Amino acid sequence: DAGVTQSPTHLIKTRGQHVTLRCSPISGHKSVSWYQQVLGQGPQFIFQYYEKEERGRGNFPDRFSARQFPNYSSELNVNALLLGDSALYLCASSLQDRGYTFGSGTRLTVV
Amino acid sequence: AQSVTQLDSQVPVFEEAPVELRCNYSSSVSVYLFWYVQYPNQGLQLLLKYLSGSTLVESINGFEAEFNKSQTSFHLRKPSVHISDTAEYFCAVLERTSYGKLTFGQGTILTVHP
């Protein structure tokens, strides 16, 4: 069975640009969460979606948005990129909030 | 709001020695507890979790962690480490009343020397 897949694996963007990151959960998992991991720190919660509804949002500006599709895949969008948005973006899926399986992440570099 | 403190940012140890990575948490409600491991340039892998029942949980590769409710701790231990255990380890909590919001500690880098 495929795990959580994220694309792209690496991305370089310029300040002010927009970026879309994609995540496909494990088959059967209806919950998808997004985390930002800045170098040297633990992951920080951005969003959680369950059955296409936003169930939780972390302390991130409105430049960050996400959505979940009928097939439970998800996109994370970030507008007006800042240098400080450079990070590893992790997606996790779960079945019933009992354990979260993470993807390998998307490494975003803003220059 | 919950918080997680990993008491050591770096732990160097020699191969075959025992190791303990310390984790304390703060929460006003019941929690689930997790340990994740991250190898360089990779995502997070679940090592073990405490949901309920026995307070001692074990992983398939020899790690164990014990939930101590009175001390609000969830320390990770291994009696004999291998070079391949070199990685960064993250402790995380999930409040039972929250929706999927894992709160992570700052991480502990375990370096196993030959």
Side-chain angles (χ1 to χ4, degrees):
Chain A
D1 284 343
V4 178
T5 57
Q6 293 187 242
S7 62
T9 55
H10 295 82
L11 202 53
I12 299 176
K13 289 286 190 178
T14 304
R15 278 177 296 176
Q17 284 189 314
H18 162 90
V19 69
T20 298
L21 310 181
R22 295 177 176 82
C23 172
S24 293
I26 290 173
S27 178
H29 286 194
K30 299 180 180 180
S31 172
V32 170
S33 302
W34 288 95
Y35 291 79
Q36 180 196 65
Q37 187 180 18
V38 174
L39 197 62
Q41 297 183 19
Q44 297 289 317
F45 173 77
I46 309 175
F47 286 108
Q48 194 211 17
Y49 277 78
Y50 178 78
E51 291 273 19
K52 296 165 285 181
E53 298 278 332
E54 181 184 304
R55 293 201 333 186
R57 183 186 182 113
N59 188 24
F60 280 82
D62 291 343
R63 298 184 296 108
F64 288 77
S65 64
R67 55 180 175 169
Q68 187 176 31
F69 298 99
N71 66 354
Y72 304 114
S73 68
S74 178
E75 285 183 353
L76 175 69
N77 296 284
V78 186
N79 292 323
L81 284 166
L82 304 173
L83 295 179
D85 295 331
S86 295
L88 179 67
Y89 288 84
L90 295 163
C91 173
S93 76
S94 68
L95 193 55
Q96 285 183 351
D97 283 354
R98 293 295 184 269
Y100 293 80
T101 303
F102 283 80
S104 297
T106 293
R107 174 74 62 187
L108 172 65
T109 302
V110 182
V111 297
Chain B
Q2 71 270 36
S3 65
V4 178
T5 302
Q6 291 184 242
L7 296 160
D8 306 290
S9 59
Q10 297 192 50
V11 173
V13 65
F14 286 106
E15 194 173 18
E16 297 183 5
V19 71
E20 179 180 75
L21 307 184
R22 297 178 293 168
C23 172
N24 286 94
Y25 70 92
S26 171
S27 176
S28 57
V29 300
S30 296
V31 297
Y32 301 124
L33 295 156
F34 305 86
W35 275 100
Y36 283 89
V37 58
Q38 186 174 38
Y39 298 99
N41 299 312
Q42 294 189 22
L44 300 172
Q45 298 176 27
L46 179 65
L47 195 57
L48 44 76
K49 60 186 176 185
Y50 170 76
L51 302 180
S52 64
S54 173
T55 57
L56 183 66
V57 291
E58 299 177 354
S59 72
I60 59 173
N61 56 354
F63 283 94
E64 64 178 30
E66 186 160 19
F67 170 51
N68 188 318
K69 187 175 182 180
S70 62
Q71 297 185 7
T72 60
S73 68
F74 192 54
H75 301 331
L76 181 69
R77 302 183 182 93
K78 190 171 185 180
S80 176
V81 294
H82 303 288
I83 297 287
S84 59
D85 293 325
T86 294
E88 189 161 17
Y89 293 79
F90 291 95
C91 180
V93 300
L94 172 67
E95 290 187 338
R96 297 189 182 204
T97 55
S98 79
Y99 290 117
K101 179 186 175 183
L102 283 166
T103 298
F104 287 86
Q106 292 289 83
T108 297
I109 297 174
L110 173 65
T111 305
V112 181
H113 298 284

